[in-house]
Amino acid sequence: MTTPVIPVLREMRWWDIDPVLGLEKDLFPEDAWSRGMFWSELAHSRGPGATRRFVVAEEGERIVGYAGLASAGELADVQTIAVARDHWGTGLGATLLTELLRAATAFECAEVMLECRIDNIRAQKLYERFGFEAIGFRRGYYQPGNVDALVMRLTDPSTSVRGTEING
């Protein structure tokens, strides 16, 4: 019997874009991010002026999840969180979100915002467990499917990550 490999989080780098795009297209076929969108975000994720935090969850040589956060002043925005289908229900989404909230705290953000597909109940439940509250809608936000987004907000992200553990 083999011991299961626990995914390890690490900073996303440019060479991760192709495997991340594979997951992106599988999980979000109608509104997947483009290669250029990931390149643009990663361009702002390094150095003393970094305003982004993007991570991948790696299991052995395979990327099984990724997440990204953008910050501007006291406000952060969860840009994306994705977990491979065969890792749903393992807690990996919570691990990725915890890392993003730690980054928001490090960026000294007082609030974290996000948009979630109105039909993605699994993600909404995850965000609610971390203290996010629904504050509105963005009609037709996800294109080309014209799907509405639920806008959610978390005040004081540091309170949601105290005492949590992540691997990596």
Side-chain angles (χ1 to χ4, degrees):
M1 181 174 218
T2 59
T3 305
V5 178
I6 298 170
V8 175
L9 297 190
R10 65 168 174 80
E11 178 184 13
M12 185 187 291
R13 301 300 304 274
W14 66 267
W15 52 81
D16 297 317
I17 292 176
D18 282 341
V20 163
L21 281 174
L23 269 177
E24 181 80 5
K25 289 174 183 167
D26 175 52
L27 297 169
F28 312 110
E30 289 186 352
D31 46 20
W33 279 29
S34 68
R35 180 182 315 278
M37 291 170 76
F38 280 107
W39 270 104
S40 178
E41 295 302 316
L42 292 181
H44 300 283
S45 68
R46 301 197 60 140
T51 58
R52 307 290 193 272
R53 173 75 170 144
F54 275 72
V55 295
V56 294
E58 205 169 39
E59 184 178 75
E61 297 290 315
R62 179 177 168 228
I63 292 176
V64 295
Y66 57 92
L69 177 101
S71 69
E74 291 190 353
L75 182 64
D77 185 64
V78 172
Q79 303 270 279
T80 186
I81 294 182
V83 173
R85 293 178 195 276
D86 61 338
H87 282 68
W88 286 2
T90 65
L92 182 54
T95 299
L96 289 163
L97 182 54
T98 297
E99 177 60 21
L100 295 186
L101 296 179
R102 286 185 177 170
T105 301
F107 285 133
E108 299 181 352
C109 295
E111 289 186 330
V112 179
M113 304 287 291
L114 61 83
E115 290 86 17
C116 181
R117 285 179 64 108
I118 198 72
D119 57 0
N120 191 343
I121 304 304
R122 169 181 275 132
Q124 290 172 35
K125 288 182 186 283
L126 170 66
Y127 300 136
E128 287 169 357
R129 281 197 339 252
F130 277 75
F132 281 86
E133 296 177 336
I135 61 166
F137 297 93
R138 293 188 196 273
R139 302 282 177 216
Y141 183 79
Y142 292 99
Q143 294 296 329
N146 203 37
V147 177
D148 295 345
L150 179 66
V151 180
M152 301 182 83
R153 176 179 60 205
L154 173 69
T155 54
D156 194 5
S158 66
T159 61
S160 293
V161 296
R162 285 190 195 124
T164 57
E165 294 295 325
I166 63 165
N167 52 25

